């Protein structure tokens, strides 16, 4: 039986993969790199540093630490500018988070930066719903490696220990993901997986090993999670 739910962030909670891609396109163009949609989506699962290194390698451009930091800073500014007027949360996700938080401890496991996650959670007033958060600064290896989900479970169990609660097993956790690397990461960590077709097709998520695939979290409730998993 599921006792905790972990969420990917970009592509599951916030609908900003297109904004992330456009921000990178704008910034990388200044460095002589043309980023295609195929290039961007082929690198799902990487954190920002890994993505920039990947883009410069594909573009056969030299990347120094100074340039890397400049690209990351410029991308962060551009991305934030594109969300000034409206925070693009997925339809139904806030309701799902609020209803499930009443029944399960929730966590975020993402390769997004802490500042990106903090900005959205604070602006949407969702932070209090999450018992634990894993960002790109918490692990050294990106998805599809299982490190991030293992870190999420360790952090959750550490918090449970302070509350004198028994630790949870990975098999008691559900991970909600929108990409094959994320599904593979959670499966490798021993968790159940729900794939949401916000970013890639149902076939791609199933091929990655998703236990269940759905079009929207708006179709789910806490009772449905218990019934299906």
């Amino acid at each position: 039986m599921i006792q905790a739910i972990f969420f990917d962030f970009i592509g599951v909670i916030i609908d900003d993969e297109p904004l992330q891609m456009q921000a990178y396109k704008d910034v990388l163009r200044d460095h002589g790199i043309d980023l295609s949609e195929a290039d961007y989506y082929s690198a799902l699962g990487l954190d920002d540093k890994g993505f920039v290194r990947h883009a410069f390698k594909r573009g056969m451009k030299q990347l120094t630490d100074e340039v890397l930091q400049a690209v990351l800073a410029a991308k962060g500014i551009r991305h934030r500018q594109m969300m000034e007027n409206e925070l693009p949360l997925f339809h139904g996700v806030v309701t799902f988070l609020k209803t499930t938080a009443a029944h399960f401890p929730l966590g975020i496991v993402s390769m997004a930066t802490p500042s990106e996650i903090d900005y959205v959670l604070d602006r949407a007033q969702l932070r209090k719903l999450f018992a634990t958060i894993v960002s790109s600064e918490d692990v050294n290896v990106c998805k599809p490696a299982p490190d991030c989900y293992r870190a999420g479970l360790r952090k959750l169990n550490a918090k449970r220990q302070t509350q004198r609660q028994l630790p949870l097993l990975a098999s008691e956790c559900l991970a909600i993901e929108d990409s094959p690397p994320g599904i593979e990461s959670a499966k490798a960590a021993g968790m159940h997986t729900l794939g949401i077709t916000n970013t890639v097709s149902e076939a791609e998520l199933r091929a990655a090993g998703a236990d269940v695939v759905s079009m929207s979290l708006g179709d789910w409730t806490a009772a449905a999670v218990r019934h299906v998993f």
Side-chain angles (χ1 to χ4, degrees):
M1 181 180 293
I2 295 301
Q3 301 293 332
I5 303 177
F6 290 101
F7 295 78
D8 185 27
F9 184 66
I10 297 172
V12 171
I13 294 176
I14 184 165
D15 184 12
D16 75 335
E17 287 286 12
L19 301 186
Q20 294 271 347
M21 179 174 64
Q22 188 59 53
Y24 269 124
K25 279 186 175 184
D26 295 344
V27 173
L28 291 174
R29 190 178 300 117
D30 294 337
H31 294 270
I33 298 173
D34 290 324
L35 179 68
S36 69
E37 183 173 330
D39 292 339
Y40 178 82
Y41 284 104
S42 70
L44 290 174
L46 293 179
D47 62 8
D48 282 320
K49 290 181 180 178
F51 180 82
V52 173
R53 293 188 182 106
H54 174 77
F56 270 72
K57 184 176 181 180
R58 287 182 66 99
M60 295 183 290
K61 300 289 184 179
Q62 184 177 3
L63 179 64
T64 64
D65 287 341
E66 183 179 4
V67 171
L68 173 61
Q69 294 304 320
V71 169
L72 293 176
K75 178 260 179 179
I77 293 171
R78 181 72 183 110
H79 177 249
R80 191 70 57 85
Q81 288 172 340
M82 290 189 288
M83 294 196 297
E84 282 180 349
N85 295 329
E86 182 180 0
L87 197 62
L89 299 176
F90 277 104
H91 173 71
V93 73
V94 172
T95 298
F96 181 73
L97 289 171
K98 289 181 177 180
T99 56
T100 52
H103 300 272
F104 308 98
L106 307 183
I108 289 176
V109 175
S110 173
M111 291 297 95
T113 65
S115 62
E116 286 179 319
I117 296 172
D118 290 344
Y119 175 77
V120 172
L121 295 187
D122 291 341
R123 185 169 162 185
Q125 300 182 327
L126 296 174
R127 179 178 296 278
K128 64 182 179 181
L129 301 180
F130 294 97
T132 187
I133 297 173
V134 171
S135 71
S136 61
E137 291 191 356
D138 292 304
V139 291
N140 296 319
V141 187
C142 298
K143 299 172 184 180
D147 302 50
C148 54
Y149 276 103
R150 289 173 177 167
L153 183 56
R154 282 196 303 271
K155 291 179 79 170
L156 177 59
N157 279 335
K159 185 170 184 177
R160 289 175 65 85
Q161 185 177 22
T162 65
Q163 299 168 342
R164 298 185 179 182
Q165 295 176 317
L166 292 174
L168 298 180
L169 301 174
S171 59
E172 296 176 298
C173 301
L174 173 66
I176 301 179
E177 280 279 355
D178 69 307
S179 73
I183 293 292
E184 292 167 11
S185 174
K187 295 291 287 186
M191 298 183 182
H192 298 275
T193 53
L194 170 60
I196 302 296
T197 57
N198 291 335
T199 305
V200 301
S201 69
E202 176 181 353
E204 290 172 278
L205 292 170
R206 291 196 182 280
D211 297 317
V212 178
V213 178
S214 181
M215 290 182 63
S216 171
L217 284 178
D219 299 329
W220 286 78
T221 63
V225 169
R226 287 201 173 99
H227 176 74
V228 174
F229 294 98

